[in-house]
Structure formats: C-alpha cells, structure tokens
Amino acid sequence: MLLKLENVKTYYGNIRALKGISIEIEEGEIVCLIGANGAGKSTSLMTISGVLTPVEGEVLYQGQSITGLRPDKIVQQGICQVPEGRMIFPLLTVSENLDLGAYLRKDKNGVKADLDRVFSLFPVLSDRRGQHGGTLSGGEQQMLAIGRALMARPRLLLLDEPSLGLAPIIVDSIFDIIRQINQDGTTILLVEQNAQVALRFSHRGYVLETGEIALTGKASDLLKNEEVRKAYLGE
Ligand code: ATP
C-alpha cells in the first residue's frame, strides 16, 4: 500500500471538514475523490500534503506515519500536490516556474532529464519556455502546474480539480497526459467536481459527502451506480 488514511479527522476551528475518512491507494493506481462543493475534497489533499494537520487519525505513506510532518518534508518523501487554481507564478517565465518545482533537489542531471520529460509531455511549454506564466491560457497554466509538480519527481501526485474552468476538449487532452504520467510509473490521487471525466480516467473512486466517504469502488462500477449517476453525473 502506497498511501493509507486511517480515520482522518480534519477541522477548521469548529468546522468539521473531514469526519473520519479512510482511503487506501496502491502503487500504480489512479484514484479519484469526487463529491459536491464543500464535501472535503481539497481538505483531504491538503491533509495528505501536510498543509493541514488532522486532529485525529493517521496518514501512512509506504507504511510509515507522515501525520503532522511539514509540507517540504512530505515533498522530499515523494508526494507532490498541484493545488486548485494552479497557483503558478504569473510574472515568472515558464522555465522559472518549472525550476521552482525542483528547488529541493541536488541531482542536476536528474533535474535536466525531468525537464526534458516535462517538455516532451507538454511540447507547448517548451515552445513557450521564455514566456511569463500569466500569459498562458488556462489549459497551458494547468499543464505548467502539473509540469512543475513533476519536477519534484513525485511517486504520488495529488491533483486538485485539474479540469477546473477548462473547455471539454482541453480537459480530455490534460487527462490523456495524466494517464500517460501514471503509465510512466507515478501513482495519482485526483480530486474532481467533474465526476464523469474523473471516473472515466481512474481505476477506483471514493465519493465524499459532507466530510465522510459515502461510497467507494471500481471507477467503472461507480459510473454505472444509480446514486452516483443521479447525484454527480446529472442524470
Ligand atoms: P470545493 O470543490 O468547493 O473546493 P471541497 O470538496 O474541496 O470543495 P473543501 O474545500 O475541502 O471542500 O471544504 C470542506 C469544508 O470545509 C467546507 O464546509 C468548507 O466550507 C470548509 N472550509 C474549507 N476551507 C476552510 C477554511 N480555510 N476555513 C474554514 N472552513 C473551511
């Protein structure tokens, strides 16, 4: 098991955002967390990446507790998050944004190889390497945010709403690349309000409802599930 959340509770003051969730991710999987606005999806990712500390429960990575570790220590262990809204640096160039993803690394040759890999996954970033991040389209900024995370060479990549604000055709091309990144060996946990696309590209899924896991299973089964279809697929 690569990652395990055991009965994790995360609060914002007295707002109980996660009320005891348990999630398991095997190496090599793409797993999605779906759910409505405010269900606790982003809170789950931020609890894994160390931005938030749970009040109860454990986050285990490769069998070891990482609960309460600082975010930079968690990145160094191989978990990297692409936050909602991309959070790229608009006044830095594409290349400078990518370099920042590797700031904790000392292996210059490895960094160079990963930069080549990012440019081959996202040729448009190579074409625009000298351009300011803020001048890119929404889809290109999402690519830059994912590329920057890959520069940390993660074993587990956390993606928060990669489809947010993007046209359907761009969403599909980004998910094709996410699948490619997974096939190249990176495990992926993604959070999406767009349940349709998330389930189409994932192996398994969890449905979050007001801070609790309401349902889990193979993505193909969840896509067929009556409750999921009604509540999250607009049918
Ligand atoms: P969205 O897709 O809208 O981001 P989400 O499923 O990711 O939704 P979270 O952002 O994890 O949901 O929010 C879970 C709950 O915690 C919500 O009730 C939300 O209002 C609350 N919450 C989130 N961030 C904060 C915060 N900084 N302070 C207080 N409450 C918060």
Side-chain angles (χ1 to χ4, degrees), residues 12 15 17 36-44 84 161 193:
Y12 299 95
I15 297 172
N37 232 323
K41 304 183 298 299
S42 299
T43 304
S44 304
E84 184 175 328
E161 302 257 6
Q193 277 199 48

Side-chain angles (χ1 to χ4, degrees), residues 28-224:
E29 285 192 300
I30 303 181
V31 174
C32 65
L33 287 184
I34 58 172
N37 232 323
K41 304 183 298 299
S42 299
T43 304
S44 304
L45 291 195
M46 290 192 286
T47 303
I48 297 167
S49 62
V51 176
L52 298 171
T53 302
V55 294
E56 221 182 288
E58 285 284 347
V59 182
L60 302 165
Y61 177 63
Q62 297 178 283
Q64 306 277 334
S65 174
I66 57 165
T67 325
L69 280 188
R70 281 197 343 231
D72 57 318
K73 298 287 172 214
I74 291 179
V75 171
Q76 268 174 327
Q77 295 210 21
I79 301 180
C80 204
Q81 180 174 0
V82 178
E84 184 175 328
R86 290 53 116 171
M87 306 286 189
I88 57 139
F89 295 96
L91 297 177
L92 297 184
T93 64
V94 166
S95 287
E96 287 165 342
N97 269 280
L98 292 173
D99 289 346
L100 279 175
Y103 82 106
L104 290 170
R105 292 175 62 181
K106 311 246 174 329
D107 57 323
K108 278 214 169 95
N109 291 337
V111 170
K112 172 74 180 71
D114 285 341
L115 187 62
D116 291 342
R117 178 166 165 253
V118 168
F119 285 151
S120 80
L121 282 168
F122 303 107
V124 67
L125 296 183
S126 175
D127 298 342
R128 306 197 168 194
R129 61 180 85 187
Q131 221 169 292
H132 285 166
T135 66
L136 302 180
S137 71
E140 290 161 355
Q141 290 191 18
Q142 183 63 57
M143 293 176 193
L144 180 55
I146 295 173
R148 185 179 57 188
L150 291 179
M151 292 303 295
R153 197 176 278 189
R155 191 157 174 184
L156 174 65
L157 184 62
L158 309 174
L159 300 173
D160 197 343
E161 302 257 6
S163 81
L164 192 73
L166 304 180
I169 185 162
I170 312 283
V171 170
D172 269 19
S173 67
I174 287 191
F175 271 84
D176 280 335
I177 298 168
I178 291 171
R179 180 180 277 157
Q180 183 62 52
I181 292 167
N182 173 252
Q183 285 170 352
D184 291 345
T186 307
T187 305
I188 292 174
L189 173 61
L190 67 94
V191 150
E192 264 297 344
Q193 277 199 48
N194 184 340
Q196 178 81 39
V197 74
L199 290 172
R200 264 201 295 125
F201 282 86
S202 298
H203 301 109
R204 287 191 303 115
Y206 289 85
V207 180
L208 257 183
E209 273 174 20
T210 55
E212 287 173 296
I213 306 286
L215 208 58
T216 179
K218 276 171 58 181
S220 53
D221 291 339
L222 291 175
L223 268 174
K224 286 184 246 155

